[in-house]
Structure formats: C-alpha cells, structure tokens
Amino acid sequence: MDTKKTGLDGHVAVITGGGRGIGAAIATRLAGLGAVAVLCGRTRALLEDTAAAIKSTGGKAEVAECDVTDLRSVEDIAAHLEATFGRIDILVNNAGIGGFGGPLHQLPPESWDRVLNTNLRGVYYCIRAFAPLMIRAARGHIINISSLAGKNALPNGAAYAASKWRLNGLSYSVAEELRAYNIRVSVACPGSVDTELSPHAGKDKSKMLQPEDVAHAVAMLVTQSPQSFVSEILLRPTLKP
C-alpha cells in the first residue's frame, strides 16, 4: 500500500459507528490513505471484523469500544488515544440511528430521545472530548455525517430530520468557533445510501448511493489544501432510486 503522496500517513482518524456501513467504508478509505483508523462503536465484534479487513490489506486500524451517548465512555476513549498516539488529526462523527416509524404525533417520547441522543448529543460529546486535543495541536479536521434529510422535509421521519437539521446548524457554528485554531469542520449530507439504516421500500437499491461514495467525499474533505476547507457537501445519487 503506497501512502507516500496522500498526506495522511501517520495521521490518527477516529470514526464513530465504524463497525459497518458508512463508518466502515470511511475507516477503510482513510486507512488506505495512510491514516491509523480508530474504529469506535458499541459492538466489538463488528469493529474487530472491520479492523481485520483493513489490516489484511496493509492498513492500520485500532478498535475502541465506545457508546457516543455516554460522555464518560467518550472521554475515556479520548484520554486513551491521547496517551497512545499523542494526537488526533481527524474526527468523523458518523454514528447515527434512523427514526422512520410514522408521524411525529405517534412517536413515543423514548424513541425521540433515542434518535436525538445518538445523532446530536453524541456528536456534541465527541467534539467536547476530542476538540481540545486538536486545539492543543493547532490542527485537525472534524467531519459530521448528516443527511439530505437535514435539508428537506422527511414525512414519517421527523425526529431523524430534526436531528440532522440541528446537526447542520451545530456544524456551521462549531466551524466558526474552531477556525482560529486551524481546525476545519465540515458536514456531509448524503441522500439515500444502501445501508441497514435507510428505509428501502419502493427504492431501486442499484441506484442508491453506496457507503464508498460517502467515504470518497470524506477523503476529499480531509485531503483539501490546508489554506481552505469545504464546509458542506451535498451528495446525491445520479439517478433517483
């Protein structure tokens, strides 16, 4: 694996929800560019499988079992990684869950809490834990994986849409807070991606975005020239599924 010209050789990239789907694809792509991919998630077996696949192709991967909705869990991982690597260069806030169970007025409060706690509070916890490491190093890149549902109406998925609209606002605001420290914050908003998260009823999966498409967008963001950054990417399938 040739990583000499990628600019990510030796970088440490933390990917939440890194055990499968979009997170696994992002971790694999960044490891292929020379970064050490730190896979965070709640299911160790999935993380181990993804890490093994990355290592089998010559990449570097570490497993960090973590629940992004638990601040202590996130802080413990941040402390461990700082002690191990002394740096965090890239944080990809990818962990998320869907919420497509019908109209909002029928949604149980516990389902609302579950969606918002993972998709929004989890990002806040990760930025709170990892941004200070980047500030001390005066460098870093944070990528928040949002959705086109954060730009458009999503009937029967209002809680999910609300979490992504809020995530977009959080991303733009944090980008302004951290620019002075040479930290770039970007948000990626993909449309329908062929994963277990997205509802597929009535859709042609062959026309949907693939996890690797999102990984490609993230790779573009983190290899952007240092004097600039792309604050937002809207990623759509070429043909409507």
Side-chain angles (χ1 to χ4, degrees):
M1 179 179 296
D2 182 7
T3 62
K4 293 181 180 179
K5 298 181 180 180
T6 67
L8 296 186
D9 190 28
H11 284 48
V12 179
V14 176
I15 305 98
T16 68
R20 61 183 174 182
I22 293 173
I26 292 171
T28 300
R29 184 61 180 267
L30 297 184
L33 291 173
V36 178
V38 180
L39 313 177
C40 294
R42 293 179 295 181
T43 307
R44 176 168 285 276
L46 293 175
L47 301 174
E48 295 283 6
D49 288 346
T50 300
I54 290 172
K55 292 176 181 178
S56 71
T57 61
K60 297 178 181 179
E62 301 286 340
V63 168
E65 192 171 349
C66 174
D67 181 355
V68 298
T69 67
D70 181 342
L71 180 57
R72 177 61 63 85
S73 176
V74 176
E75 289 176 336
D76 287 347
I77 292 299
H80 169 71
L81 295 179
E82 183 176 28
T84 302
F85 298 105
R87 60 190 287 184
I88 296 296
D89 302 283
I90 299 167
L91 169 63
V92 182
N93 286 307
N94 165 75
I97 60 174
F100 313 106
L104 184 67
H105 69 273
Q106 296 177 359
L107 185 72
E110 57 270 20
S111 296
W112 168 273
D113 290 341
R114 182 168 172 263
V115 172
L116 271 292
N117 284 344
T118 300
N119 296 359
L120 191 64
R121 186 185 296 269
V123 174
Y124 156 57
Y125 283 168
C126 287
I127 292 175
R128 176 181 170 86
F130 289 107
L133 279 68
M134 295 181 176
I135 290 172
R136 289 195 286 273
R139 59 177 292 172
H141 203 145
I142 298 171
I143 302 97
N144 296 327
I145 305 301
S146 184
S147 169
L148 288 182
K151 293 285 185 178
N152 305 301
L154 184 64
N156 298 317
Y160 179 79
S163 72
K164 295 304 185 179
W165 280 78
R166 291 178 177 187
L167 178 58
N168 291 350
L170 179 151
S171 301
Y172 310 142
S173 300
V174 173
E176 293 304 311
E177 294 171 356
L178 297 180
R179 286 174 73 179
Y181 300 101
N182 196 34
I183 299 168
R184 305 185 292 187
V185 180
S186 306
V187 60
C189 301
S192 298
V193 184
D194 184 16
T195 68
E196 296 178 3
L197 176 69
S198 300
H200 296 160
K203 292 187 177 181
D204 183 346
K205 294 176 66 174
S206 68
K207 296 178 182 178
M208 295 175 70
L209 296 172
Q210 298 301 309
E212 291 74 18
D213 297 322
V214 185
H216 177 70
V218 172
M220 288 193 298
L221 290 171
V222 299
T223 55
Q224 180 78 9
S225 298
Q227 75 278 3
S228 64
F229 77 102
V230 177
S231 62
E232 177 184 79
I233 286 182
L234 307 182
L235 187 63
R236 307 176 189 273
T238 302
L239 301 175
K240 289 189 176 182

